[in-house]
Amino acid sequence: MASSHSSSPVPHPSSGGNDGMFRKDRDPSSRHPRPIRSLPDVCPKEPMGEVSRGLCEGPSVVVDQHRWTVYNSKVNLPAALNDPRLAKRESDFFTKTWGLEFAETEVMPSFYLPSITKEHFAPYLQETAQRERIHERCKNICPNKDELDAVSSITNHHGNIFMKPDFALDDPATFNAVLPWSHFNSAGGKTSRDVVSSRLLQEKLSHYLDVVEVSIARQISLRSEAFFHAMSSQHELQDRLTQTTRSVAVLRGRTAAIERVMCEGPLRALRQALTRSNCVRLHNKLKLMAAVHQTQPTVQLLLSTSEFVGALELIATTKEVLQQELQGIHSFRHLGSQLCELEKLIDKMMVEDFSMYSRSDLSRSLDEEGQVMEKDRLESLVFGLLRQRKLDFLDIYSDEMILAAKSIVTQCVVDSVSRIEEIDPDVVTKLADRMRLMTFPQWFQLLKSVFENFILFLKRIKATLSVVRNVVLEALDSNQKSRLLELERAEAGAQAQAPGTPLSQGEAELAYLTHEGLFISDALNEGGQEQSSVVGPRQSQLRLDGCGSDSASGTTESSSSREHTFQPGGGASISEDMMPSDLELGRVANNIQELLYTASDVSHDRCVKVLMARAKDGSLERLSSAEFVCLSQAVEGFVRDTEELCCRRSVSLRGALQSQANRFVNRFHEERKTKLSLLLDNERWKQAEVPAEFQDLVNSIADGRITLPERKPQGTEERKPSDYLRIDGQKYAVVGTVLILIRIFLEYCQCVNDIPSIATDMLTRLSDLLKHFNSRSCQLVLGAGALQVVGLKTITTKNLALASRCLQLVVHYIPVIRAHFETKLTPKQYSVLRHFDHITKDYNDHIAEISSKLVAIMDSLFEKVLAKYEVKAPMPSACFRNVCKQMAKMHEALYELLPEEQAQMLFLRINASFKMHLKRQLARLGVHHDGGPQHGLVTVDVAFYTENVQALRTLEKLDLNMAEIWEQKR
């Protein structure tokens, strides 16, 4: 097995670890057996002695994690013995050779190694062929290496014996090694051959002795002068050494005298000074231990007065002293853990105290003066919580704030219900049911009370959060100042480390004198630093004693504890290390602002609850316009106040109001649309008198006041109504429905003034109302629907003209309405104004249809009358008399309704229709413009027609152009 191990060494992976390359050992003889070592620990402890050196030499999982070690072995004895793939255990397992073939494994060929053939070495063989031939030739010339090795081994062997320091031929072992007599002393005795060889060897050795003696004599003769010179120098050196020894003895005597006379006293004084310094240190240490011993009673005393910051500072200072100045004191071994438990208890106490403070602050009466309750207590609590990194204390305040907001609404409802005798709290238990039983003035008064209380509530929260924010900003500013001071101290320390002035020669000689393991210079420095070493513990003791001496000083200490202090060594105190970072303090400041936003949102949400509880049965939809406007103004005022107070635009209350406004708009529109429909269905389309208040209404619109005028008190002088509505110098004959319509769209405009958020909805509803008036009036007048609805006998020309004039009045006010709504819309909402353009077009088309209807009435009359026209005496003919009579009736019906320009345009169209029918009848009768008798008769009738038409008022200058009745000759 040993031979097999040496013949087939196991390949080991390279140091690369995972490259897949295997390399053999260089030489089996070069291996050095290593001692058996225990496995290394994954996390080795501090090395101790030989065992640690053995552990350190072994492979480490941490250090050698990127290098192949024995732990990377894939085949081990337990794995090979417990191979589940083998049906039975191998019989030669303990006898076969360890190596690559020990375990049956298949090594897959590497995909990264190319296939090497003889052709790959051809270029190399060609390059080295010439050098190989030169090497073979030189090898034949030079002696054999084995012969040289044999000679050198013998030489080296004997040379090593001769060079030993204990070389002596008297030693039998040495003699036998130099002179190999062993083969002459064989067991068979000496033969003649051996005797001859012994004699030859003696002669050879005698020859060597002679050669050595001759060589020594020759060397002595060559170096005799140097030899005798060395001998003489040796004698002189011995004389000088003797003299030097005497001088050293004298010097030592003098030095001993100096030490006895000059050094023993000063050294004794230094020893006593060092002893005194140690005693002072021990005394200070004992006083410090006494002060530390009083820590727990002092902390309990501070906690009894709720001085959490002072207690925490005392605990931090005590921990610092335990870690630095009293480290290793056996009697204080449990004090650190006790202080940690005490600190955890203080954390819980601070959280509970802050919760109690928040609850009492938010639940106290809103009528109390003073926005912040116990400001010093709040500042102390906030600073203590920040110091302990309890940065979630704002969540506690938020929860208490939500509960307080609920209680505010509940208290307001209870107070309001208690003043209303009609509501029995025992019968109606739910707050929402109580609010729905209130009248609108009572409920509105309750809502305003809720608004006022929430404004006071938000002011109180803002004042409290301002105090918290100031504490956070103060801590942040203190952190920045401490960093600047630390940088300054670091720079000063760097400057202090600069090399000082060199010592004088006497001080340098004194520094080498030692006393009990200390340099005298160190002892002097310690003596000089004695005062400063006493100050540090004394300051700590004063701090500790100051905390326990008087509990009344806790307030001052808690306020002064916010200022960060530094240790004399230049390091920051423990309180600094425990304070949150600037980033964390910045987050707390942002959370404070977010908490104020949350307070605003909570207030709005509770008001929404009040609003929706009232609106559940639809009572808000049934409000009058004035009542809803009051509600909207109150809500908008509350929203504005909260936005100014909290700098937060809350949308919940506005959204709820907008939802109710949409329902109000729907009801508002449906009421007025129904009212307008009833008025139209009962309208008889006769000219109505215009009351003075409606004339004043249109006058205010002309002055730019698109609002409903205030009701004048009764008892004022009553003015008589007029027949026409005068607008911009024009007279409008109108029906009563149009007067009501003007007031209705002014109500729409007034709602938009009071509630700007519903401008788009109101515009859409007003457009629908105007469309409804146009379509319904068209059905009743042009469609003759008034015959069945109202019971009119016929639709007269006066009815048509009156309807046309009413439509013109509405068209006159559409641009005014459009301009008013445009001021209430944002530029993105201007697209809805296109509804007015469509409405104006529809109204103008309706007016044109009415005009065409009037012309059509006369046109049918002309066609009927002129169909019977005959050109014969007497003149003027009865047909033309009838036409002039009908023209006079038409003028009489339209004169007082239509303005002069419209009347002229209408009669021009009627005249054109008359000329067309007359021209057609004359062509049928064969009457031509030839100056004949029939032409003369027709001329008389035409002159009669022209005279009668131009005799009508406002038609005197009307150009009838009757020459067009005659066909032009071709």
Side-chain angles (χ1 to χ4, degrees), residues 32-49:
H32 298 285
R34 295 184 178 179
I36 298 176
R37 297 185 299 268
S38 60
L39 293 177
D41 192 1
V42 176
C43 297
K45 305 295 187 298
E46 185 177 359
M48 297 293 292

Side-chain angles (χ1 to χ4, degrees), residues 191 291 658:
T191 62
Q658 184 65 38

